[in-house]
Every structure is written in C-alpha cells, then in structure tokens.
Amino acid sequence: MNKRRNKWATAAVPGLLLLAMTTAACGGGNNGNNANAGGNGDKNASNAAANQTANNGAADAPTVDPNAKYDPPIEVTTVRYTDSSFKFKDGESLDNNAWTKAYESELGIKVKNKWVVNGEGNQYNQKINLTITSGDLPDMFMVDAKQFRDLAEAGKLEDLTALVDQYGSPLTKEMIDRGVNAKAAASYDGKLYAIPPAEDYFGGAPLLWVRADWMKKLSLPEPKTMDDFVKIAEAFTKQDPDGNGKPDTYGLAASKDVISGYPDLSGFMNGFHAYMNIWVKDASGKLVNGNVQPEMKTALAKLQELYKDGVIDKEFGIKDGGKAAELQTAGKVGMNFGAMWNPLWPLQDGVTKDPNAEWTPYPIPSVDGTPAKAQSSADFNAFWVVKKGAAHPEAIVKLFNFYNEKIVGESAEPAVYHTDNGIEVFKYALMAGGFGTPQGLLTVHKNVMDALSAGDAAKLTPEEKSYFDKIKLFQGGDRTNWGTNKVFGENGSWAVIGASYSDGGLLMKNEFFGPPTPGMTEKRAILDKLVLESFTKIILGAPIGDFDKFVENWNKLGGEQITQEVNDWYGSK
Amino acid sequence: MVHSSTLPGRLFRAANAFFLLALALLCLFPLVNVLAVSFSSSTAASAGMVKLWPVGFNLASYRFVLQKPEFMRALFISLERVSLGTAVNMLLTVTLAYPLAKESVKFRGRTFYVWFFVLTMLVSGGLIPWYMVIKSAGLLDSIWALILPGAVNVYNAVLLLNFFRGLPKELEEAAFVDGAGHWTILWRIFVPLSMPALATLILFTMVGHWNSWFDGMILMNTPEHYPLQSYLQTVVISHDLSLVTMSDASSLAEVSDRTMKSAQIFLAALPILCVYPFLQRFFIKGVVLGSVKE
C-alpha cells in the first residue's frame, strides 16, 4: 500500500510541476495580452482626445501652425538599425544625440526606439517582420516595398496625403514631389501612405572603368565602341600591361553575382542593347523583361568568347564582389563596369598601393551605330510609414520638415546636425540616408566643380564642402583622397553621368517600379536563380543554344505570368 | 589493429595516414589563413596576397579590436550567457533525465512524459510563435531570453537518460536500503558516476551557447546587448553591392578591412578552442558509453 502511494507520488509530482509550468506560461501570456489591450485602449482614448482637440482647434482657427511645438511634449515610438559605419561621440547613442535632443527641444517630440538592430538589410528586415506579425508596431517605422504593400493592403497604415498637405513645409513637399516614381511607389489606391525614398536613377547606373596608365603604356585608343573595348580587354590580358613578364592579368572584372554595383556585367550587356533584370518597353509599347530578349543572347555569346580568351578570371563564378575586388586591388585587372562610387571602393585601395595606377570612367561603349544606354533601376525599398491609430500621425511630417530644414534648408546647422568633427551625425536622424538630397548628387558635383574653379567654398552645403575639402587635399598630393576626386571632381563619375546619362539621355530606366506583384512574391526567387545560373553557365562555355531553352523555362516557371501582371500594372498606372 | 608488416598492409597504412593527414590539413588551412590575414598589413590582405604566412606582420588589428568597446562588451555577455546557460541547462537536464530513466513500473506516467518531451524534438511552433511566447513572457532584451527558451535540451536529456540506465541497478537499490531518497541517489551516486557523459553534454551546451547568434539578434532590443556571435555576424556579413549609396560607399572601404575581420573571428574562436582539448577525452567516451545498454 505504502509502496503504491509512493509510485503515485513519483508520477504525480512532475505532472503537477508541468501543469504549474504550463499554466504559469499561459498566465504570463494572458497578462501580456491584457497589458497590450490596456495599452491600446489608452492609445485609442488619447487618439480620440487628440482628434477632438484637433477638430476643436480646426473649428476655432482654421489655419494650423504646421511647425507648432507640442506642449506638453509627446512621445513617438520607432525602431532603428545601426551598422559599423555609425560612429558616436562618448556617451551618445541612437537614443541620445544631437537629433533626439533637438526633436525634443524644438518640436516637443520625444522619440523612443523600441528596438535597435545591428545590420541594415537582412537583420532589420527579419526583425521588422517579427514585429509586424506579432502586432507590436511602433508609431512610425521603415519598411521595404513588400511590407509596405502588405500593410497598406491590410489597412494598417495612416493615410499621409492630407497630413503632408497640411503640415508639410515647402521643402518637404518639394522633396516628395520631385521623385514622381518614388511617390507612386509610396502610394496605394491613390493615397500617399509613406514618406518616399529619394529617387536616384544615376547612382546605380554602370560606368566603364579603365586603367588609364595601362592604356597609355600600350598606346591603345579610348573605348568608344565595343570593338575598341574588346581590343583593350585582349591587350590588357595578353600584352603584360603590368610589365612583370607573367601572363597574370585580366581585361575585365566579374563576380558570381554577374550584376551588382561592383563588378557589374550589365554595363557590358547594355553595350549590346541588352538589359539584365529590368523591364523595358518593346516596339509595341508593352513591357518585357530584358533577360529574355534576343540582344541578351548576343551579349552572352560575346562574354563567353572573352571568358574563353582568358579576359575574365577563370574563377569568377565562385567569387563575390569583395573577393573579386582583391584581384583589382592587386593590380591584376584593367577594366570593370560598375557604379559611380567605385573609386571610393575598391579602386581606391589599388591606387593607394600603386603610385602609377590611374582609372578613368567612360560611358558604355556601343556595339553598333546606336549609342548604348546604361541601365538603371532605382529600387524603392525604404518607406517610412505611420501605424494606423498612432496618436500623432502628423509627427512624421514635422520630423521630416525638421530634417530637411536642418540639412538643406535656410537654417541648416551642418556642424551640429551633419558632421561633427568627422562623426556623421546626420545618420542618427529619422528618415535620413537616401532621403536628404533634393537635387541629387549631380547637382553636388556641379556645385563642387563651380567652387573649385572659383576657389570659393562659401556657398557649398556641408556635404558638398566635405567633398570639396577632400578634392583640395588630393590636389595637394594626397592620394588617399583620389577616390573622392574621381567621383565628384574633373573627369570623374558624375562628369560622365552628367554629360552622357543626364544631358545625353543615355539612360534606360527600369519601367517597372511598383510593389512586387503576386507572381514576383511567389516565383521571383526561383526565376532570379534560373537567370543567374543559366547566364553563368553560358559564360563558362555552355552552348549558346541553351539560351533559347532558358527563355522557354523562364516563361514556364512564372515569367509569363509576371509579364502579364507587370503590364496590367503599367496599364493601370 | 594488428600491425601488419606485409607490403600491402604497409601501403594501406601509408595511404591511410596520408589521406587523414590531408583531411586534417584541409580543416586547418582556413583557420591558419584567417590567423595569417589577421597579422598582415591591411593593403596586403585586401589585395589577396596573404596565404598561410602573414605579409607585412603587425599587431595593429588586435590592438584595435581589443580596445573596441563593442567587442569586449559582447565578449562579456557571451561569457555570462555560456556560464549561466550551461548551469541552467545541466541542472534541468540532470533532473529531467533521472525520473525518465526509471522503469515504467516504478514511474507510471513515464511513457507519457517521454513522449511529451520527445514531441518537442519532432515538431516546433516556428519562428513567430516562438518570438511571441518570449515576448509575452517579458523576456525580450534580457539575458534570460537567450537562456530560458532553450533551457531544456531534450536531445541531451535522452543521451543522459540512456547513460543513467546503463548504471548498475544494484547501486541504487543498495542506497535505498540504506535509507537514501531520490535526491541523495541522484546527486551522490548517479551524477558522480556519470562524469564522462556530463562532460560531453557540458561541452555540447557550451559550444551551442557560444555559437548561437540568431536569437541574440532577434531577441535583444539594442546592439549593446548582443552576445559575441550576434555582434560578429554583423561584422563579417558581406555587403549587398547592388544597393550601395554614396554614404555607404565611403564606409565600404572601412567595413571591408579584412585584417580586422580576421582578428575578431580568431579572437571569438579562441575560448572554445581552449576548452575543447580538455574536455575532448570525455567526449568520445561519453557519447559511446551512453549509447549501448546491456
């Protein structure tokens, strides 16, 4: 008898424990929910109150002062990311810095970060996805195109159209209206649901970068046509441009990603009027995907030929951009296609290392009489939105007003809000980074050039002034500032972009800039992989006839459906 | 394992030794390369000139990393996590394995409880429920969020359970006769006898805690609370070069400093590298011992 009770006891004790644990967990959960519900209730109440006062205010005095300071101060929650480029003064952080102090003292807005994640892309994305699904949204936050569409569709965002009208400063309105496509991407059903990112089609467009000292040494002509380009590439590969007696140089840089900011083979394809991964208009005015056009076949066939000739690194298929850059830094590669920022990285490393190294940017050479157009897709992927039901939805507009005013406006205070003793303070601001250049970098280049020729930097904005100073240093013989000079200075990236892509109109914009279509959400990953694999295989020597099979597969695996959706979007735009 | 002196026998052993040596070197090379890069000059590293020996030897990167507050802070959080986490894990594993090691006659609900726990190995709630449970429990942004959700490792408990069952029953019975209760038997007989198995599990748990990064990134609300591997992940991650803006580009050069990355990777691997050899002799013994029951 005694023994039996013992057995029962041994069985029951852990059972009770488990029960206790699970109920405790449930209790915790419920409490959490209750707390949340309470929080929401409070917020709704205060929201209602705010609406009431707003309405009363509107009734009493129809003109609201858009820049009125909140009194008493309000609290706005948000979420942020940092990365290794964020530097802070001692004791400062994303929670406490010049911007947060100014938000509070000048606008009466206390900005509270619910969380901060280290890592801008994937990490932020994962965390914001969790935050969205767990229903714990902050008042304002940044989302990508897909999250934006989902949230707008589900009615979880505040409509900002009227708020921007009512509270937006002229500068804010200018910034939002300047990017027509960006604004369209930030709208849903004709209403503006987000502060759109800056629209910049030039920053990602490929340029051709050539080792000028090698070209001179081998007395080669400038790359005006694709034939010139091929001639230079072969000479760089076979005529020992670095003079070490070994055949260890390459004509053209490439990486396993095929296209990206560096190295970017889309520039080469553009020379054949082929456009990778973007949507272009065909003769009949319909949108088609550049990957499956016949011009792409020609471009790939030529790349295959160059690869066979040893112009491209035999191992490019396993190297990412960073790894590919090593060859170029070591002085083994003579040309690459890449974005306007390439001089800062990776070209600067090689120039620092080798005192003779010099690179010159050129527009894309063309294979025939028609000038080549550089492809560009301004990916709109950063939208600042306000949660539906936030107590003060207009705060986002006031914060954006304030940012614009302090960075580019009349009362800009660069030493406080832009760069303080080499620390980039502007990164702490909400809606900074890609949101803050109303006229774009082309204007920055022009202003810097004007200031250089006039020898007077007084009229420059703080950003422009920082480039101006570095170019001055370079002119004084400091080669570590070669990169900045090559981007903004004479014969630099923006000089070429300005002359060819802007004034010459030689830019092929991605015609599709809407949110991802249902077909894209579902099948884009597979299709992207198919494109990358097929193209890489062809460059590595697969029969060029495989391209036709690829086109067939692409259409079958969802390409046809996506093309239809993209055209529906285009028709309804 | 008879040493054959015939020619084929010797050939086989030579080939065997060569093969295993090559395999070992293959595992060692990446580590040596990282070490060499961490001691090299930054230009040599970014030009890919460093193979197995430092080029332009210097200690600058180590000096920089050791002065970096983020690195040291993350290191201490990781140490805290490992010591706290291993203690909690082992306590729960031992107290779970003991009753489950009893036979069903002695502990009636045993089969039910075993399945209750094993089920969690087979199915899981997924990322979002996981996150929501931790959030509702109020653990977000505290060190406990990294420890409690994984505090009961069923796989380890099953290993230990099998080991406990392999211990002679007579010991337990003798102790009972002498008036010992379950707690005394567990702590004074089972645990001291299971040292090889426990050492193995401690190693598993320590390495597991040391290496995990994802939960740190998701569950901590500020980078200041990241454990070392979550921090490291943000340092070594490769940048998406298709979405670079002007302000990114100027920092790319800095971020892509390979000597700095290598120094941090090496320093982060060092503590575990030091623990491993000391626990390894238990390691093999422990896993095998628990597996066979007479």
Side-chain angles (χ1 to χ4, degrees):
Chain A
M1 191 63 192
N2 209 351
K3 206 172 177 192
R4 172 170 284 170
R5 202 189 292 154
N6 241 342
K7 259 187 254 161
W8 266 108
T10 45
V13 164
L16 282 174
L17 259 175
L18 268 178
L19 207 67
M21 273 161 79
T22 38
T23 44
C26 286
N30 282 341
N31 285 345
N33 283 342
N34 290 342
N36 274 348
N40 285 341
D42 288 351
K43 256 178 218 151
N44 287 341
S46 62
N47 195 17
N51 281 342
Q52 223 164 27
T53 49
N55 287 340
N56 289 346
D60 292 346
T63 46
V64 285
D65 174 12
N67 292 319
K69 187 178 162 181
Y70 289 101
D71 189 31
I74 59 160
E75 185 182 277
V76 171
T77 55
T78 185
V79 295
R80 302 292 303 271
Y81 68 80
T82 65
D83 60 44
S84 40
S85 69
F86 281 67
K87 301 272 188 298
F88 294 97
K89 277 190 283 189
D90 275 346
E92 295 207 329
S93 68
L94 269 187
D95 301 321
N96 173 32
N97 55 58
W99 282 98
T100 58
K101 282 176 207 153
Y103 289 152
E104 198 173 337
S105 65
E106 308 226 349
L107 298 176
I109 301 177
K110 274 189 224 168
V111 175
K112 186 171 168 260
N113 299 319
K114 288 188 98 166
W115 50 256
V116 178
V117 70
N118 202 341
E120 36 162 348
N122 224 348
Q123 291 79 5
Y124 180 80
N125 222 337
Q126 268 171 327
K127 240 182 124 120
I128 199 93
N129 270 336
L130 275 176
T131 307
I132 291 170
T133 33
S134 67
D136 187 23
L137 290 176
D139 292 335
M140 50 183 281
F141 52 105
M142 191 183 85
V143 290
D144 70 12
K146 180 173 184 310
Q147 291 155 347
F148 173 72
R149 193 199 56 184
D150 291 348
L151 287 167
E153 235 170 37
K156 292 199 171 150
L157 301 179
E158 281 286 342
D159 178 3
L160 302 181
T161 325
L163 296 173
V164 168
D165 267 357
Q166 197 178 354
Y167 292 94
S169 66
L171 203 52
T172 292
K173 287 177 186 157
E174 186 192 331
M175 297 274 287
I176 292 175
D177 290 332
R178 183 180 62 94
V180 179
N181 293 351
K183 192 177 175 188
S187 302
Y188 180 80
D189 247 0
K191 291 178 200 143
L192 186 71
Y193 278 101
I195 302 290
E199 181 174 311
D200 174 20
Y201 277 101
F202 293 129
L207 295 161
L208 171 60
W209 294 94
V210 186
R211 261 304 277 271
D213 54 321
W214 286 6
M215 214 160 72
K216 207 165 157 195
K217 189 173 167 190
L218 303 176
S219 10
L220 294 160
E222 293 198 327
K224 290 227 159 42
T225 65
M226 209 28 114
D227 285 340
D228 296 338
F229 170 84
V230 172
K231 233 176 271 163
I232 299 173
E234 303 214 312
F236 279 0
T237 310
K238 289 169 184 160
Q239 295 179 20
D240 191 26
D242 60 347
N244 68 351
K246 282 185 238 160
D248 59 352
T249 50
Y250 301 98
L252 181 63
S255 78
K256 71 178 166 74
D257 302 317
V258 181
I259 70 169
S260 76
Y262 167 91
D264 191 354
L265 289 183
S266 73
F268 181 87
M269 295 161 181
N270 297 163
F272 290 79
H273 312 303
Y275 305 95
M276 185 165 167
N277 287 358
I278 70 168
W279 297 85
V280 292
K281 237 187 274 179
D282 71 357
S284 67
K286 275 184 64 183
L287 295 193
V288 290
N289 192 291
N291 290 331
V292 289
Q293 303 311 308
E295 289 89 357
M296 187 57 82
K297 189 175 177 179
T298 330
L300 288 172
K302 192 71 194 173
L303 275 173
Q304 184 185 63
E305 203 183 304
L306 291 177
Y307 179 80
K308 212 188 282 168
D309 275 358
V311 169
I312 298 173
D313 179 12
K314 286 276 173 246
E315 292 173 355
F316 88 90
I318 51 161
K319 290 184 173 175
D320 64 14
K323 196 80 192 151
E326 287 180 6
L327 268 183
Q328 200 145 347
T329 305
K332 299 294 172 205
V333 179
M335 286 193 283
N336 76 277
F337 290 94
M340 58 88 193
W341 47 263
N342 279 190
L344 296 173
W345 185 88
L347 301 183
Q348 176 71 59
D349 284 347
V351 169
T352 316
K353 196 167 156 282
D354 178 357
N356 297 319
E358 181 58 41
W359 296 83
T360 307
Y362 292 94
I364 307 296
S366 171
V367 72
D368 53 29
T370 321
K373 287 185 169 183
Q375 77 174 60
S376 175
S377 63
D379 277 322
F380 303 119
N381 227 3
F383 302 91
W384 274 92
V385 297
V386 177
K387 171 178 79 165
K388 185 101 195 165
H392 299 280
E394 74 288 348
I396 195 169
V397 185
K398 291 193 173 189
L399 289 165
F400 195 45
N401 287 345
F402 185 71
Y403 177 78
N404 292 331
E405 187 57 34
K406 290 300 172 194
I407 292 293
V408 285
E410 299 275 300
S411 69
E413 289 172 65
V416 182
Y417 297 110
H418 191 278
T419 308
D420 184 0
N421 288 321
I423 295 174
E424 294 173 314
V425 179
F426 69 90
K427 287 192 170 175
Y428 315 153
L430 296 162
M431 290 165 281
F435 293 85
T437 35
Q439 283 91 29
L441 289 170
L442 191 52
T443 317
V444 171
H445 156 71
K446 285 178 180 152
N447 292 345
V448 169
M449 289 306 288
D450 288 349
L452 280 170
S453 59
D456 174 20
K459 281 193 207 128
L460 297 181
T461 67
E463 185 186 2
E464 291 163 357
K465 177 75 167 48
S466 72
Y467 303 138
F468 176 89
D469 291 343
K470 287 184 177 165
I471 292 175
K472 276 281 177 207
L473 282 174
F474 168 75
Q475 287 173 346
D478 175 7
R479 270 174 77 82
T480 56
N481 282 310
W482 173 90
T484 306
N485 182 54
K486 231 4 168 212
V487 175
F488 291 106
E490 213 178 337
N491 299 326
S493 312
W494 286 100
V496 174
I497 291 173
S500 296
Y501 300 169
S502 172
D503 299 349
L506 294 177
L507 197 70
M508 182 58 87
K509 289 186 190 176
N510 188 355
E511 292 287 345
F512 177 78
F513 49 82
T517 66
M520 285 183 189
T521 314
E522 199 184 329
K523 287 158 182 164
R524 191 188 203 156
I526 307 170
L527 290 179
D528 282 352
K529 204 167 163 224
L530 176 76
V531 170
L532 195 62
E533 271 178 14
S534 311
F535 285 12
T536 309
K537 273 188 192 151
I538 292 175
I539 299 172
L540 290 174
I544 188 69
D546 283 6
F547 184 79
D548 304 326
K549 250 182 274 164
F550 152 75
V551 174
E552 206 178 295
N553 278 335
W554 188 86
N555 277 320
K556 243 191 321 204
L557 287 171
E560 211 172 339
Q561 177 202 342
I562 293 175
T563 308
Q564 187 55 47
E565 289 169 352
V566 165
N567 277 294
D568 290 347
W569 169 87
Y570 192 64
S572 73
K573 185 162 67 97
Chain B
M1 281 304 236
V2 183
H3 283 260
S4 148
S5 51
T6 58
L7 184 66
R10 261 187 293 164
L11 265 180
F12 172 74
R13 262 184 290 129
N16 214 357
F18 177 77
F19 175 71
L20 290 177
L21 199 70
L23 208 64
L25 284 179
L26 217 59
C27 299
L28 208 60
F29 275 150
L31 205 65
V32 175
N33 177 255
V34 167
L35 191 61
V37 168
S38 71
F39 282 118
S40 298
S41 76
S42 166
T43 28
S46 62
M49 283 155 56
V50 185
K51 297 282 183 288
L52 296 177
W53 201 251
V55 178
F57 182 88
N58 73 80
L59 293 169
S61 52
Y62 283 93
R63 211 171 296 137
F64 184 80
V65 170
L66 290 176
Q67 280 168 1
K68 220 174 168 186
E70 293 95 339
F71 184 87
M72 297 314 282
R73 191 166 50 209
L75 178 70
F76 282 117
I77 292 172
S78 260
L79 291 176
E80 186 187 354
R81 175 188 183 162
V82 167
S83 37
L84 216 61
T86 311
V88 170
N89 272 26
M90 291 321 293
L91 185 73
L92 290 178
T93 307
V94 168
T95 46
L96 175 63
Y98 179 77
L100 294 186
K102 301 288 171 222
E103 277 144 39
S104 297
V105 212
K106 282 194 179 165
F107 173 18
R108 240 184 241 167
R110 183 189 167 272
T111 326
F112 168 75
Y113 287 112
V114 171
W115 277 108
F116 181 88
F117 285 106
V118 169
L119 208 66
T120 64
M121 285 171 78
L122 306 176
V123 289
S124 76
L127 180 64
I128 288 157
W130 172 78
Y131 176 80
M132 290 175 79
V133 167
I134 296 168
K135 185 181 143 252
S136 313
L139 292 176
L140 282 189
D141 210 25
S142 89
I143 184 94
W144 295 104
L146 306 177
I147 292 166
L148 292 186
V152 175
N153 186 322
V154 180
Y155 176 78
N156 286 352
V158 170
L159 270 186
L160 194 64
L161 178 163
N162 278 324
F163 192 88
F164 280 169
R165 294 194 143 194
L167 297 174
K169 269 186 224 44
E170 291 75 9
L171 287 176
E172 193 188 339
E173 281 163 13
F176 260 130
V177 170
D178 287 345
H182 283 292
W183 286 106
T184 321
I185 294 174
L186 173 60
W187 293 113
R188 311 218 16 204
I189 298 176
F190 274 51
V191 168
L193 283 176
S194 312
M195 269 314 167
L198 288 175
T200 312
L201 297 187
I202 287 176
L203 190 69
F204 277 164
T205 320
M206 280 176 73
V207 174
H209 272 298
W210 186 262
N211 281 347
S212 64
W213 60 273
F214 184 75
D215 52 355
M217 188 194 87
I218 291 291
L219 301 175
M220 294 295 114
N221 281 350
T222 48
E224 286 81 40
H225 294 165
Y226 281 3
L228 191 56
Q229 305 298 333
S230 307
Y231 161 77
L232 210 59
Q233 188 270 146
T234 65
V235 173
V236 297
I237 197 149
S238 58
H239 268 250
D240 183 353
L241 292 179
S242 56
L243 298 167
V244 173
T245 64
M246 192 59 204
S247 59
D248 297 337
S250 40
S251 61
L252 254 182
E254 200 179 315
V255 174
S256 70
D257 191 329
R258 307 222 309 143
T259 61
M260 215 74 82
K261 281 186 193 174
S262 302
Q264 298 188 53
I265 292 172
F266 191 76
L267 284 176
L270 206 58
I272 286 294
L273 275 180
C274 294
V275 174
Y276 230 87
F278 296 104
L279 286 175
Q280 204 182 16
R281 62 201 172 93
F282 294 113
F283 194 61
I284 301 157
K285 211 167 148 198
V287 176
V288 178
L289 270 177
S291 59
V292 186
K293 195 178 155 256
E294 1 151 24

